[in-house]
Amino acid sequence: MCGVKGVVLDASILLKAGDDENGSPSLRADAVYVLRKLRYSNIFTGISYGLDLSAPKDLLEKHQAMGKDVKMVGYLMKPSREEDFAKRGAFPIKPTPNGLIFVPLTYALPISQQLQEIDGVLHKATDDIITVEMSSSSDFENKVTYTEGMQELQRYIGCHPDCCVIDPFTNIYPVLDRLKIQQILGGLENLNSKSCSKVRGPHFLKVVDFREPKLEDKLVDAKLSLPNIVKPQVACGVADAHSMAIVFKADSYKDLNVPLPAIVQEYVDHSSTMFKFYVVGKKIFFAIKKSTPNADTLIKLAEEKELKPLLFDSLKSLPVDKQKSQNEDNTRIDHELVTDAANWLRRVLDLTIFGFDVVIQESTGDHVIVDVNYLPSFKEVPDEVAIPTFWEAIKEKLTGKQSTEAAILL
């Protein structure tokens, strides 16, 4: 297998002539972008002064002739996310052991030119969402407005169906919509016949107006007893997608400050413990995380403020029970049941890399999936295990050799 072993940069692409009286060269503004990309690429980088580098095309053609098994993966995501993955060695320019080369894509240049030699595109499209219009339309695809760069990528892909996308945009739309995900999770009921435990989604209700007269009756009909957790229907990609509330009294809804339309969701007593599962190709990982307290603890906290709704951003932490033992919690999870649920979600969503959160209801032992997200960071999984699995999942997607069943790794 042939691959890139090093990069030599001509000084002219990094430096510009100085405009001071000494004429000292300075770093070009766009050179910072190039150097940042190379910093975590695991490839030797040098700078040449005066060397003729006029034949990169010939070198590329030679590389292609000698290394036909190497697949080029272009990736697009916000800089902070990209740097996080790159620091962990996920995006090397030199070939991975299974024959992948990762190439950063940029909106600063025409996308169509950058994709000429690319075999597949890895994207975090939610990083490029400008707005999501939650209208009465049932077609979620038409509600999302992306940046001009992401729209250009979509147009290119539409005209070049041979370009593999990990994962197609239409496949991630359900993850953007909390109502759609809740409806999908309803299908988990079919998995509960062969296990003593039960896996399910939480009880829920969509609300378009917190002041509607019969809201309390609708909550009862939806099996929603107080307290409830209230979330915007838009799950990610916009500024207020994570603005949530825990509501303790029915009359608090009329002045609730959560973006509409919203999803009122069952609050599950779960011993302040959450299990985060990551499906990466044909493998499943999980981590145990501290979570919000049981309802009685939250109510005691809220009593100090007359049981007013507890407003929070779900990307930030809430009070947790620091006394709980995670080793004890690990024995409560039904790994076989959750593996079945993960494989079921993998088939239904048709996603290569996604995550979901499970809490175990204290009173019943129900395994409740409370959240599903696309392309999570899976930081809790050791890099020496996670990154090769990440590469394997992408290669399988590119070659069309994806496994239909995934196995959990304890």
Side-chain angles (χ1 to χ4, degrees), residues 245-310:
I246 297 175
V247 177
F248 303 94
K249 298 187 299 182
D251 61 1
S252 296
Y253 274 103
K254 63 180 182 296
D255 297 316
L256 189 61
N257 187 23
V258 173
L260 289 167
I263 303 299
V264 180
Q265 184 176 299
E266 168 190 14
Y267 190 87
V268 179
D269 280 346
H270 57 287
S271 305
S272 193
T273 301
M274 179 177 291
F275 298 84
K276 299 188 74 68
F277 284 84
Y278 304 107
V279 181
V280 186
K282 63 183 180 182
K283 295 181 181 178
I284 306 168
F285 304 96
F286 82 97
I288 306 174
K289 303 284 288 185
K290 294 297 182 183
S291 183
T292 54
N294 284 353
D296 56 351
T297 301
L298 287 175
I299 289 172
K300 289 178 181 178
L301 293 172
E303 284 176 345
E304 300 174 1
K305 297 183 179 180
E306 300 177 343
L307 291 178
K308 292 181 179 179
L310 175 59

Side-chain angles (χ1 to χ4, degrees), residues 25-53:
S26 59
L27 194 65
R28 294 167 56 100
D30 51 1
V32 176
Y33 174 84
V34 174
L35 294 174
R36 183 170 61 82
K37 297 291 185 184
L38 291 171
R39 181 179 179 188
Y40 301 111
S41 64
N42 294 333
I43 192 168
F44 293 107
T45 303
I47 300 176
S48 170
Y49 299 88
L51 178 64
D52 181 9
L53 299 178

Side-chain angles (χ1 to χ4, degrees), residues 364-382:
T364 64
D366 286 358
H367 291 44
V368 186
I369 298 179
V370 295
D371 190 29
V372 182
N373 55 88
Y374 173 64
L375 194 60
S377 66
F378 45 87
K379 288 182 179 181
E380 296 87 358
V381 184

Side-chain angles (χ1 to χ4, degrees), residues 67-284:
K68 293 182 179 179
D69 292 335
V70 174
K71 298 291 185 181
M72 307 284 284
V73 181
Y75 58 91
L76 268 173
M77 55 191 68
K78 65 182 180 182
S80 60
R81 193 184 312 278
E82 174 190 327
E83 187 161 335
D84 175 66
F85 273 103
K87 284 179 178 178
R88 298 159 65 191
F91 295 148
I93 293 179
K94 64 181 181 181
T96 64
N98 67 337
L100 298 179
I101 292 178
F102 287 85
V103 179
L105 304 177
T106 173
Y107 295 136
L109 300 171
I111 289 291
S112 58
Q113 294 180 10
Q114 300 174 70
L115 296 180
Q116 294 300 315
E117 307 296 336
I118 295 296
D119 297 294
V121 176
L122 175 70
H123 67 87
K124 181 77 169 179
T126 54
D127 289 345
D128 282 273
I129 292 177
I130 298 177
T131 60
V132 179
E133 180 61 39
M134 300 306 297
S135 64
S136 59
S137 169
S138 59
D139 186 1
F140 197 80
E141 180 175 356
N142 294 329
K143 302 174 184 177
V144 181
T145 302
Y146 289 104
T147 60
E148 290 185 9
M150 185 58 70
Q151 291 182 48
E152 182 187 355
L153 174 62
Q154 289 181 299
R155 287 193 294 269
Y156 179 91
I157 292 170
C159 296
H160 299 81
D162 55 327
C163 181
C164 180
V165 183
I166 310 165
D167 284 293
F169 291 90
T170 52
N171 292 22
I172 70 169
Y173 288 131
V175 185
L176 303 181
D177 185 348
R178 288 193 174 98
L179 175 62
K180 182 64 176 178
I181 281 294
Q182 295 281 11
Q183 294 169 338
I184 288 174
L185 292 175
L188 290 167
E189 292 290 338
N190 298 325
L191 301 179
N192 292 317
S193 58
K194 65 179 183 179
S195 175
C196 295
S197 302
K198 179 179 180 180
V199 62
R200 64 179 179 87
H203 304 310
F204 71 96
L205 175 70
K206 177 177 177 176
V207 177
V208 296
D209 183 358
F210 289 132
R211 291 177 174 267
E212 62 176 280
K214 296 184 179 181
L215 178 58
E216 192 169 351
D217 292 336
K218 290 183 178 181
L219 292 172
V220 173
D221 292 342
K223 301 180 181 179
L224 289 167
S225 58
L226 293 165
N228 308 135
I229 184 167
V230 187
K231 307 176 179 181
Q233 184 175 343
V234 180
C236 56
V238 294
D240 54 5
H242 302 281
S243 298
M244 304 181 184
I246 297 175
V247 177
F248 303 94
K249 298 187 299 182
D251 61 1
S252 296
Y253 274 103
K254 63 180 182 296
D255 297 316
L256 189 61
N257 187 23
V258 173
L260 289 167
I263 303 299
V264 180
Q265 184 176 299
E266 168 190 14
Y267 190 87
V268 179
D269 280 346
H270 57 287
S271 305
S272 193
T273 301
M274 179 177 291
F275 298 84
K276 299 188 74 68
F277 284 84
Y278 304 107
V279 181
V280 186
K282 63 183 180 182
K283 295 181 181 178
I284 306 168

